[in-house]
Amino acid sequence: MANQSAKKILKQNEQMLKRALAMTVGFFLLYLFGRFYWFYSTTSKGHWFGLFVLILSNVVGFGALYLSGRATLSAEGETVSGDDLNAKGLTEYWWDLLYVSWFTEVTTLISDLFWLFYLVVPGFIIYQVWTNFVAPALATNTSGTGPQGENAKQRKMREKYEKKKSKMEQKLAARKN
């Protein structure tokens, strides 16, 4: 039964990768033809840099999806490897990178201001790093005055609790004797 599920995922991945490749190539060719044929007179060095960024993001995004989604079949017909391309997590981020690239390729033919849309990608990366790593690390030890950043009031309460605890332990020890 699990083998049927793996074969189903394999077929879905193949279809999704074929569709993604066709869209990536199609949008890229539209950008190339539009920018360097129709609007060649307005092409600048910045557009060449943008072309490099588009190539890089398309290759990285599609390449990561291809490498994670492709599967091989063993001699017995069982799926050896391949992740579900509909899965949550990192796979979603690779799809998002492709969507941003496709959007940018089409819309920059209308206005160069759409290049700013590419700032969504590093902005989201910075947001994720801050909320998942930096902010929690800063919140755990903010003052540095004691264990795990406790302040004077917390320290006094802890010491009071420890005194009560030691008195209770002494009373229990006295009762046993």
Side-chain angles (χ1 to χ4, degrees), residues 14 17-18 26 51 81 106 127 148 152-153 160 162-163:
E14 286 176 355
L17 287 171
K18 283 180 185 176
L51 177 67
S81 64
V106 173
Y127 168 76
Q148 298 177 358
K153 184 177 179 181
K160 188 176 179 181
E162 288 174 358
K163 283 182 184 178

Side-chain angles (χ1 to χ4, degrees), residues 40-59:
Y40 184 74
S41 62
T42 61
T43 302
S44 66
K45 290 181 182 180
H47 291 104
W48 289 102
F49 177 74
L51 177 67
F52 173 74
V53 171
L54 287 174
I55 291 171
L56 184 66
S57 65
N58 283 331
V59 168

Side-chain angles (χ1 to χ4, degrees), residues 21 26 29 44 66 73 86-87 92 102 118 124 131 134 139 149 167:
L21 180 62
L29 290 176
S44 66
Y66 177 77
L73 295 176
N86 288 323
E92 277 184 321
W102 295 342
Y118 250 130
F124 183 72
T131 57
V134 177
K167 285 181 182 179

Side-chain angles (χ1 to χ4, degrees), residues 97-108:
L97 179 63
L98 279 181
Y99 297 149
V100 168
S101 295
W102 295 342
F103 178 81
T104 306
E105 287 169 349
V106 173
T107 56
T108 53

Side-chain angles (χ1 to χ4, degrees), residues 11-127:
K11 279 190 172 190
Q12 286 177 340
N13 285 353
E14 286 176 355
Q15 290 173 351
M16 290 174 75
L17 287 171
K18 283 180 185 176
R19 194 175 326 123
L21 180 62
M23 291 179 74
T24 301
V25 170
F27 286 131
F28 187 71
L29 290 176
L30 175 69
Y31 176 78
L32 282 178
F33 186 72
R35 174 54 58 198
F36 297 106
Y37 181 72
W38 285 333
F39 304 117
Y40 184 74
S41 62
T42 61
T43 302
S44 66
K45 290 181 182 180
H47 291 104
W48 289 102
F49 177 74
L51 177 67
F52 173 74
V53 171
L54 287 174
I55 291 171
L56 184 66
S57 65
N58 283 331
V59 168
V60 169
F62 183 78
L65 287 171
Y66 177 77
L67 290 176
S68 68
R70 70 183 165 102
T72 56
L73 295 176
S74 66
E76 296 83 27
E78 294 182 19
T79 303
V80 176
S81 64
D83 297 331
D84 186 8
L85 292 180
N86 288 323
K88 302 275 185 205
L90 191 58
T91 306
E92 277 184 321
Y93 298 142
W94 293 124
W95 283 113
D96 291 344
L97 179 63
L98 279 181
Y99 297 149
V100 168
S101 295
W102 295 342
F103 178 81
T104 306
E105 287 169 349
V106 173
T107 56
T108 53
L109 294 175
I110 299 167
S111 171
D112 287 341
L113 292 176
F114 282 105
W115 282 111
L116 296 174
F117 190 68
Y118 250 130
L119 295 177
V120 167
V121 176
F124 183 72
I125 292 170
I126 290 169
Y127 168 76

